[in-house]
Amino acid sequence: MRTTARTSRRAMTFAVVATLATGLLAGCASDDDDGGSDGGSGGAGGNGKTTITIGTFGTFGYKQAGLYDEYMKLHPDINVKENVTTRTDVYWPKTVTRLQAGSGTDDVQAIEIGNITDAVQTQGSKFVDLGKEVDKSQWLDWKLKQATTADGKTIGLGTDIGPMAICYRKDLFKKAGLETDRTKLAKMWAGDWSKYVAVGKQYMKKAPSGTKFVDSASSVYNAALGGEAERYYKDPETVSWDKSEGVKKSWDVAMEVATSNMSAKLKQFDKSWDQGYANGTFASVACPAWMIGYIQEKSGTAGSGKWDVAAAPTAANWGGSFLGVPTASKHQKEAIALAKWLTAPEQQAKVFAKQASFPSTPSAYSTLKPKAETSAYFSGAPLTQIFSDSAKTIPSQYFGIKDQPINTAITDVGILQVEQKGKSPEQGWDAASKEVKDVLGQ
């Protein structure tokens, strides 16, 4: 997931997600509760059962895919309770506070890709070494390394990754006089996010009343950055956000969107963004795999058959997450068993079937098949092929310890200054720079 948030998912997620989360991305709890549940390691449940809590963000898909119910059926003495926080930028600081206090954590704690370096470098001692509990070869090598400390401790098991696509409303594209075939669209913007923006300019010439081409400039920024080799760090010791060619290219294409009339100017994962899906406010969105489930949930039944999916301009990852078990858990043995089961290839394939969260376990790939209703919702798009093709060529990226807050400063401060307040790109960059320097203590 994505999330950021999905992260989230997810997410994604590719990223997801997320977290993938994100998004990056990506719930089981009320979406208007950004603070999430109070959390806390589970205790004795009803009828003598042991309650295992799992803290997540966004929409991980475990409940939606029926995995909690399946696990409780397999383990009649266990009750699983999920505590959801919508936004990762709320979830992670809260989680860190509880980890440092040594109390109040959930038995299983999700970690978004943007926070995994922070978790590894500053909170490693607060998590159980799950590498001793599993066959580590099940996961993508780069995914496993992201959750491994310098002394070889694996603090998280990979859930999803966030390979990128473009999700679009083919009914709105048709009304705007645009191409609607997914293969032809992919060729129109292949290789360059500026070509995607060019399609957006065409859309706006005959845009259906009340609609915009894309949800936000920030979503385009995150998607473009997910396909660059360098983000905000060159290595653990070298912060390079202000010199990164990937950041510059992604900022420039985001500014093309922010200074045009094609953006709905929505902040991702806010209520207005969710309502935008339901109301058909925007015609396309950068779409890591974990966002498939999010779109289905927020667009509702009215969106079925109106959405389609095409390959993104570049292969990219946005989001993706991990599951860890805090040492503060009162039920470590049971929590480890749940985390192992949820992240096993078989379960990752089930979550993909439900909401297309793309597995981080390659052995699951040959079995991936979205559910019939998911396929129908997205007009029969070959989701497995689209996301698999993206996943094969995602560039390896280093996520630094302050990766997520730097990203948030650029998207939620810098880009929003331009997109929502009418500031110039130079003023937006200056605002983002000030915020990043505060984050870095400079």
Side-chain angles (χ1 to χ4, degrees), residues 387-409:
F387 290 122
S388 294
D389 288 347
S390 177
K392 292 173 184 176
T393 53
I394 291 172
S396 178
Q397 294 183 321
Y398 179 79
F399 283 76
I401 193 169
K402 296 290 186 180
D403 202 276
Q404 187 188 62
I406 292 174
N407 194 79
T408 299

Side-chain angles (χ1 to χ4, degrees), residues 169 266 271-282 299 307:
R169 283 282 299 266
L266 300 173
K271 285 183 180 180
S272 58
W273 190 57
D274 293 348
Q275 292 165 353
Y277 280 114
N279 298 332
T281 303
F282 48 88
S299 294
W307 284 95

Side-chain angles (χ1 to χ4, degrees), residues 188-353:
M188 288 172 64
W189 55 55
D192 190 341
W193 283 92
S194 287
K195 293 180 181 178
Y196 170 72
V197 174
V199 174
K201 292 176 181 178
Q202 293 180 41
Y203 178 90
M204 294 309 300
K205 290 178 180 179
K206 297 181 180 180
S209 178
T211 72
K212 299 292 184 179
F213 177 67
V214 68
D215 61 327
S216 70
S218 292
S219 74
V220 176
Y221 173 83
N222 281 322
L225 187 61
E228 296 294 333
E230 184 181 341
R231 290 172 58 89
Y232 306 124
Y233 287 74
K234 281 186 177 296
D235 54 60
E237 305 300 326
T238 310
V239 184
S240 58
W241 67 275
D242 55 345
K243 300 179 181 66
S244 166
E245 185 63 26
V247 171
K248 182 182 184 302
K249 287 172 60 178
S250 302
W251 173 267
D252 287 347
V253 75
M255 289 302 99
E256 287 189 70
V257 175
T259 56
S260 72
N261 66 341
M262 72 177 67
S263 172
K265 302 180 180 181
L266 300 173
K267 186 177 180 181
Q268 291 195 320
F269 302 105
D270 275 4
K271 285 183 180 180
S272 58
W273 190 57
D274 293 348
Q275 292 165 353
Y277 280 114
N279 298 332
T281 303
F282 48 88
S284 70
V285 61
C287 182
W290 50 263
M291 200 178 284
I292 291 292
Y294 197 92
I295 291 172
Q296 284 182 270
E297 179 181 337
K298 301 306 178 184
S299 294
T301 55
S304 182
K306 296 178 180 178
W307 284 95
D308 207 328
V309 184
T314 60
N317 186 76
W318 179 5
S321 301
F322 305 81
L323 294 184
V325 176
T327 56
S329 169
K330 298 175 183 177
H331 306 286
Q332 284 189 23
K333 180 180 178 181
E334 293 84 354
I336 291 169
L338 177 61
K340 287 172 57 179
W341 189 82
L342 288 172
T343 57
E346 297 82 2
Q347 277 60 257
Q348 292 203 31
K350 292 171 186 175
V351 177
F352 177 87

Side-chain angles (χ1 to χ4, degrees), residues 155-215:
I155 68 166
L157 302 179
T159 58
D160 62 325
I161 56 176
M164 189 66 63
I166 297 293
C167 292
Y168 65 99
R169 283 282 299 266
K170 64 179 184 180
D171 58 323
L172 297 180
F173 271 40
K174 183 177 181 179
K175 289 178 181 179
L178 290 184
E179 177 63 62
T180 59
D181 180 82
R182 66 180 73 95
T183 302
K184 292 179 180 179
L185 281 170
K187 289 180 179 179
M188 288 172 64
W189 55 55
D192 190 341
W193 283 92
S194 287
K195 293 180 181 178
Y196 170 72
V197 174
V199 174
K201 292 176 181 178
Q202 293 180 41
Y203 178 90
M204 294 309 300
K205 290 178 180 179
K206 297 181 180 180
S209 178
T211 72
K212 299 292 184 179
F213 177 67
V214 68
D215 61 327

